[in-house]
Each structure stands twice: as structure tokens, then as C-alpha cells.
Amino acid sequence: MQLKINILGIESGGKPVVFLNKADADEIGVTASGRVILKVKKGITAIVNVATKSVKKGHIGITEEVRLLLGSVPSTIDVEISAFPKSLQFIRAKLDGKKLLRNEIFEIVRGVVTGNLNESEIASFVTALHIHGIDLDEATSLSLAMVETGKQLKLGNKIIVDKHSIGGVPGDKTTLLVVPIVAAAGLVIPKTSSRAITSAAGTADRAEVLMPVSMTYDKMKKMVRKCNGCVIWGGALDLAPADDIFVKTEYPLYIDPLLLPSIMSKKKAVGATHLVIDIPTGRGSKVKTISEADSLAKDLIEIGKRLNIHTHCVVTYGEQPVGYTVGPALEAREALEVLMNESNVPDLIDKACSIAGAIFEITGKKNGYALAKDIIRTGKAEAKLQRNN
């Protein structure tokens, strides 16, 4: 069917969405949340919203996502119904409790990234993973699929380090210390971080008090080459974009079945060769007991081996806030005061030096804890942070 294009000037959350008049939708044979193909050179699959008044018969309303995909927007376009994506049968298989193969998982992740799967279909997949679980083979395949459907940071360095925290502890501004400490020692650490999910402030929120955290892929690469490291908001990039979509689905459901691939895909995407993961443990944290922490650590280390990332896990005390402050501005101030040697916060300094020290030791440096503490004492970490600003 040939339809006239109306540019609506609205965004649809990253997915290609079009609006059809109900009469045209009925004639094409598509319903709301169904799919149509826009017949251009490569063909664009879009999810359909049906309108009765806002879009006239013979017209198609396109969102900004579709406009960008079209590039040069023609006045009219051929539209026809699209078959349901093959990935739906794989989602149904997981709902039935079957193990998914790598090519099946890749098809699902590609559908998520291209917008070919709608919210209810993505939620069904995430729920199936929560109910039936994922084994290490599936977690590895999901990690690789998330990496391969996005951009990858390629710096060319022989050793690239990274750190990650499972999270769940208020006031944990450790990353703001660890990154400049590690970068000041000459190691490359491109740190992408999230905004607040389960606490008052995410690392990106804390860092944004001191420096810009939203930057393009090219600017991030330039920053890392200049300073050996960065702390930026991962949502501004296209590294493992499927992970960001899955997190939006998981959060309102209060489930986290994609924890392992979520962590490891981001680290693989930045090219990490060595990784230290902080697992806060205790009452009130995400991981309640040492046995749970040990089990999680074993799985993370195993997936790290499969992805060629030397992974080391540190189990830390998670029953109380880190430091004296909670909230983005106060936490950023406290971290900066520690780096400037103007404030003594023993638990924060100890945790930061333990994690930075672990990074040093898995990359061949000796006396990692003492080295990290000395880098703070001499002001080298503060100088590195100021240069990254």
C-alpha cells in the first residue's frame, strides 16, 4: 500500500514505530503492536500503533527513529505487513524451559536492538530467563550477542583493565577513587557506569557533579588516550545497547536474570583484558551470604575465561554505607576531599585501595594495596582526576 508520510516529530524510545489510520491498518491486515515493512532500499521493519483521528486515511505517521533510518524522507512510501520475527519462536521455546543455542540467542538480541521486538515480547523473554534460569553457555552466548550487536572500543593496548560493582550499597563512591588511582599508575581503564538503579546515586551521577559524563564514542576514545581512563555514562554510547534495554525491562519487575551477561558484555565491549568485580555481601545488600558470593564469583570467573577476560572477584562488606555521605553531590565532594588528602574516610580509602590493589596485582604489579595508597598520598590520583575533568 502506498501511503503519504507525516513526520510526527516525536520519539518512541529507540524503537522504529509508525502510526497508521485504523482503516489502512485493517486493509494491510496489521493490528496494534504488529509489524510492517517500509519498502526502501534495505527495508525497515517498524512496530505499528493504530490511530483513528491523529493520522488520516492514506497517511503514515513516522517517529524520529524512523525518520533517521530513512535518511532522506520521501513524500510517499510503500508499506506492507511483515511476518512475525523468527526470534519469537525462540522466546516461546525458553518459556517452555528449553535451552537456547547461540544462533537463537543472537536472533533474539538482534531483534531487541533493532526494535523488531516490542516491550511485551522482551518482557516475556526476560521473565522466561527469570523462571527457568540461564546456564553458563547461554550467559556466554548472551554476552557475546550483546557485544556483537553494538559498538566496541578498540584501543589496541595489550592490557586494558576495568572494575565493576554488583552494587546495592549506599554511598559507594569507590569508582571515583579507583579509576584515577589506576590511571595514575599507567594502566588503561575505560570505565562506563550507570545512573542510579537501586541506590541514591549511580557512579555516573556522582561523576557528573565533577565532570561531563555524556560523551560520544569518539570523544571517549580520545579521552582514554589522553588520560589512560575515564568515568562516563554508558547509556550515552552504543556499547552493548541490548543490555540497557534489558535493564529497563528488569527494573520494574524487580528481577535480574541477566546479571552475568549484563556485566560481562559491557566489559568485553570496552576491550577489557583484566577485570576486578566487587561483590558487596551481607544483610541489606543484593548478595546476602558468603556462599552466595562465592557461587556468583565462580560463575563470573568462568564466563571471564570464556570471553578471554582475566577476572578476579573481591567480596566486600555490604551491611552499611561506604563513607559518611549519601547522594550525588555529597558523595562526589567526599571522594574529591579524600583524593586531595583533605579528609580521612577509613572505610572508603580501604575499599578503594583494596580494589585498585587487586587490579595492580592481576596485571603483575606487587604490593598493590600499598601502591594504591601511596598514589593517593602523593596527590597523583587527584592530578589524574583533574586532568580528566
Side-chain angles (χ1 to χ4, degrees), residues 341-376:
N341 291 294
E342 292 183 358
S343 180
N344 182 33
V345 186
D347 62 332
L348 173 59
I349 295 170
D350 180 65
K351 184 170 183 176
C353 290
S354 295
I355 293 171
I359 292 173
F360 291 150
E361 291 185 10
I362 66 173
T363 55
K365 297 180 185 292
K366 295 182 179 180
N367 301 317
Y369 185 94
L371 175 59
K373 205 159 188 178
D374 188 63
I375 289 173
I376 294 177

Side-chain angles (χ1 to χ4, degrees), residues 105-114 142-152 238-243:
I105 286 173
F106 184 86
E107 193 68 32
I108 293 171
V109 173
R110 185 169 60 183
V112 169
V113 172
T114 59
L142 273 163
S143 300
L144 290 170
M146 285 194 258
V147 172
E148 291 168 11
T149 50
K151 289 182 179 178
Q152 298 178 53
D238 197 28
L239 302 171
D243 176 52

Side-chain angles (χ1 to χ4, degrees), residues 39-40 61 109 111-112 123 125-127 139 175 182 189 241 255 269 278 292 295 308 326 337 344 381:
K39 301 297 287 288
V40 289
V109 173
V112 169
F125 177 59
V126 170
T127 304
T175 297
V182 171
I189 178 165
I255 57 177
D278 171 25
E292 287 180 53
S295 177
N308 294 317
V326 175
E337 287 175 347
N344 182 33

Side-chain angles (χ1 to χ4, degrees), residues 232-306:
I232 66 169
W233 175 47
L237 303 169
D238 197 28
L239 302 171
D243 176 52
D244 300 313
I245 298 170
F246 284 135
V247 167
K248 289 178 184 177
T249 304
E250 291 173 321
Y251 180 60
L253 297 173
Y254 293 97
I255 57 177
D256 196 10
L258 285 144
L259 175 64
L260 300 181
S262 175
I263 295 170
M264 302 309 290
S265 63
K266 292 289 191 186
K267 306 312 171 188
K268 186 69 176 175
V270 298
T273 59
H274 294 71
L275 169 65
V276 169
I277 299 176
D278 171 25
I279 307 178
T281 304
R283 294 167 298 177
S285 59
K286 291 181 181 179
V287 181
K288 309 297 182 187
T289 66
I290 293 296
S291 62
E292 287 180 53
D294 287 343
S295 177
L296 177 59
K298 287 176 183 176
D299 288 343
L300 288 165
I301 291 168
E302 175 58 30
I303 294 179
K305 286 180 183 176
R306 299 182 183 199

Side-chain angles (χ1 to χ4, degrees), residues 189-203:
I189 178 165
K191 182 75 180 81
T192 62
S193 301
S194 64
R195 296 196 181 276
I197 299 175
T198 58
S199 62
T203 295

Side-chain angles (χ1 to χ4, degrees), residues 15-337:
K15 296 180 181 298
V17 174
V18 297
F19 290 75
L20 294 177
N21 182 275
K22 189 175 186 309
D24 292 327
D26 289 342
E27 188 174 337
I28 293 172
V30 66
T31 57
S33 295
R35 297 163 183 80
V36 291
I37 295 177
L38 309 181
K39 301 297 287 288
V40 289
K41 192 172 182 180
K42 291 184 178 179
I44 298 171
T45 301
I47 296 172
V48 173
N49 277 348
V50 176
T52 53
K53 295 181 180 179
S54 56
V55 179
K56 296 179 182 178
K57 189 177 186 308
H59 291 247
I60 180 172
I62 65 170
T63 58
E64 287 299 290
E65 286 80 355
V66 175
R67 183 184 67 80
L68 291 172
L69 288 172
L70 286 172
S72 177
V73 180
S75 58
T76 62
I77 196 166
D78 281 322
V79 181
E80 65 180 42
I81 191 169
S82 171
F84 278 90
K86 190 165 58 171
S87 52
L88 283 180
Q89 72 186 65
F90 305 141
I91 293 175
R92 284 194 290 266
K94 191 62 188 177
L95 285 166
D96 291 334
K98 296 176 182 176
K99 178 176 177 175
L100 296 179
L101 302 176
R102 188 181 187 283
N103 66 305
E104 296 170 339
I105 286 173
F106 184 86
E107 193 68 32
I108 293 171
V109 173
R110 185 169 60 183
V112 169
V113 172
T114 59
N116 205 20
L117 291 174
N118 61 38
E119 283 83 356
S120 62
E121 291 158 353
I122 296 170
S124 295
F125 177 59
V126 170
T127 304
L129 295 178
H130 175 70
I131 293 170
H132 299 291
I134 59 175
D135 64 17
L136 289 177
D137 291 335
E138 290 175 312
T140 304
S141 295
L142 273 163
S143 300
L144 290 170
M146 285 194 258
V147 172
E148 291 168 11
T149 50
K151 289 182 179 178
Q152 298 178 53
L153 185 65
K154 296 184 179 179
L155 298 169
N157 298 71
K158 188 176 180 181
I159 294 178
I160 297 174
V161 303
D162 207 344
K163 64 88 61 176
H164 181 83
S165 174
I166 300 300
V169 179
D172 193 355
K173 68 282 293 180
T174 313
T175 297
L176 292 184
L177 277 69
V178 171
V179 172
I181 290 170
V182 171
L187 293 172
V188 174
I189 178 165
K191 182 75 180 81
T192 62
S193 301
S194 64
R195 296 196 181 276
I197 299 175
T198 58
S199 62
T203 295
D205 300 313
R206 301 176 186 110
E208 194 168 36
V209 176
L210 304 173
M211 67 193 85
V213 297
S214 297
M215 60 179 69
T216 63
Y217 171 85
D218 290 335
K219 191 171 181 182
M220 174 190 178
K221 197 170 181 179
K222 185 178 178 181
M223 177 67 70
V224 174
R225 293 201 182 281
K226 173 187 173 185
C227 304
N228 286 346
C230 65
V231 180
I232 66 169
W233 175 47
L237 303 169
D238 197 28
L239 302 171
D243 176 52
D244 300 313
I245 298 170
F246 284 135
V247 167
K248 289 178 184 177
T249 304
E250 291 173 321
Y251 180 60
L253 297 173
Y254 293 97
I255 57 177
D256 196 10
L258 285 144
L259 175 64
L260 300 181
S262 175
I263 295 170
M264 302 309 290
S265 63
K266 292 289 191 186
K267 306 312 171 188
K268 186 69 176 175
V270 298
T273 59
H274 294 71
L275 169 65
V276 169
I277 299 176
D278 171 25
I279 307 178
T281 304
R283 294 167 298 177
S285 59
K286 291 181 181 179
V287 181
K288 309 297 182 187
T289 66
I290 293 296
S291 62
E292 287 180 53
D294 287 343
S295 177
L296 177 59
K298 287 176 183 176
D299 288 343
L300 288 165
I301 291 168
E302 175 58 30
I303 294 179
K305 286 180 183 176
R306 299 182 183 199
L307 299 178
N308 294 317
I309 302 173
H310 182 157
T311 304
H312 178 79
C313 295
V314 178
V315 179
T316 59
Y317 183 68
E319 293 194 1
Q320 68 181 32
V322 179
Y324 302 126
T325 61
V326 175
L330 293 175
E331 291 183 46
R333 178 178 176 175
E334 184 172 71
L336 186 57
E337 287 175 347

